[in-house]
Amino acid sequence: MRPRTAAAAAALAAGLLTSACSADTGEQPAKDMVLNLGGQVIRLDAVDAKPKIIGSYPTGGEGIDVYTLTDPRQMPSGEVIGIRDGTAVAIDLEEVEKATALAPAVGWFPAAAEQRIWTVTEPDNDTTCNQNKLPKTARSRVQVAEHDTNGRPAQRTLTLPCGVEPIADTAAGIVAEQITDEIPNEGNGATAQTAVVLLDKSGRPHRTIAKSGSVLAGAGHHIIMNVERCTDQTCAEIDATVYDTKTNKHQKFPKCAAGGPSGQGLIDASGRWYATAVGAGDEHPSLAVIDLEKQTCQDLGSFPGLREGTDIPDNLSAVWSDTNLLLLDPSSGDVVTHNVLSNDTTRRQRPVDITNGGQVWGAS
């Protein structure tokens, strides 16, 4: 944690202040939370604090949201990254009305290297993608580019093979889904069969970790996926597994009392904690935080906006901020924080105004 002002830095050097890093064990609840409430950005000094407006509607445009981000996530360095109007941007939570444009993007994910991200773009299809030997669903390709979050040009750009979709960066490289076959549907349609692969430094698949499956999340040395068993006619999901890139082995997903994982979850930057809906088949599944190292499950209860069989990003606005999971339920205005070290969960007593929608960005 760095002093935010020159005066604070000088005081710290003189021994007048105590470094927060020396005393903070990471077991503290989130403070200085920042949320975009449909075009008005607020800060909550504590979960139950009175909202402070730090980003206003444009002049004459009350109710117009110029701030909404697609897939907002907070980096360990503090910036919030997301996509706005087809461009990946970085936002300093101390100056939310400013945004640093990073690159055009249809998607993004954090890089394993600290303070870097990967952006995903879809250039015009290369003619090699029209080869007859490829499944029809594989005749597209993407590029990924690695960026610092300061707006400088990309560190490197990789054009991936046709039918390869990057999902996340891990200690062992980028994990991706590669279309290998098609399962015919009724009529003329088909469903792609994908292998889960790791890419080498040139962007080529070099290790297959599941012959058929889909990636739910990945970071650090953990990759969470649904593995499938396929025939010529269909693919049936087996179970969610956790692949450890250090041991190169699959292990069963940790057990939760409410049931197995349902849909896509959210992994923290270290790759240790994973937030997911659990209780497949329940109308209102529970939200749980999984410790992938200790194989434990902490049930946070149900949320009005969390529905059966759907992904957390499609239902709840959620981000990891260090050891805190921050949640905003867009259907109720409930704000909840959960600290993974203390296992303390705090719910705001009075919901925030979500008349125009809402997102939680992070905590500064």
Side-chain angles (χ1 to χ4, degrees), residues 15-213:
L16 301 178
L17 294 177
T18 301
S19 170
C21 292
S22 63
D24 187 3
T25 62
E27 297 182 7
Q28 301 300 317
K31 297 181 179 179
D32 297 330
M33 292 175 61
V34 175
L35 301 87
N36 169 32
L37 300 182
Q40 193 171 64
V41 184
I42 66 164
R43 183 189 303 279
L44 300 175
D45 294 339
V47 174
D48 277 314
K50 181 179 179 180
K52 297 179 180 179
I53 299 173
I54 59 174
S56 302
Y57 296 115
T59 303
E62 185 173 350
I64 298 175
D65 190 350
V66 297
Y67 296 108
T68 290
L69 300 172
T70 299
D71 194 17
R73 283 182 269 181
Q74 187 169 22
M75 302 287 285
S77 53
E79 301 104 322
V80 171
I81 311 295
I83 297 176
R84 180 182 292 165
D85 297 328
T87 299
V89 298
I91 298 174
D92 183 340
L93 292 185
E94 296 297 318
E95 298 180 290
V96 297
E97 292 182 327
K98 298 180 181 179
T100 301
L102 303 180
V106 296
W108 80 280
F109 50 89
E114 188 176 354
Q115 299 185 37
R116 290 186 181 178
I117 71 165
W118 287 98
T119 57
V120 182
T121 57
E122 296 177 341
D124 293 336
N125 287 351
D126 191 284
T127 54
T128 57
C129 285
N130 293 323
Q131 297 175 14
N132 290 331
K133 65 180 181 180
L134 291 171
K136 292 180 181 179
T137 50
R139 295 179 188 178
S140 62
R141 69 193 313 164
V142 301
Q143 287 182 338
V144 292
E146 189 179 28
H147 300 265
D148 292 322
T149 57
N150 54 16
R152 293 177 182 172
Q155 299 288 324
R156 54 178 171 152
T157 300
L158 305 174
T159 299
L160 305 188
C162 301
V164 172
E165 180 182 358
I167 306 297
D169 199 4
T170 72
I174 293 176
V175 59
E177 296 174 1
Q178 181 179 24
I179 297 175
T180 57
D181 204 348
E182 291 179 339
I183 304 297
N185 296 334
E186 293 183 8
N188 296 323
T191 300
Q193 179 181 342
T194 57
V196 179
V197 298
L198 285 170
L199 307 184
D200 62 20
K201 292 183 178 180
S202 68
R204 297 280 172 178
H206 75 101
R207 187 195 308 174
T208 298
I209 57 180
K211 292 182 179 180
S212 184

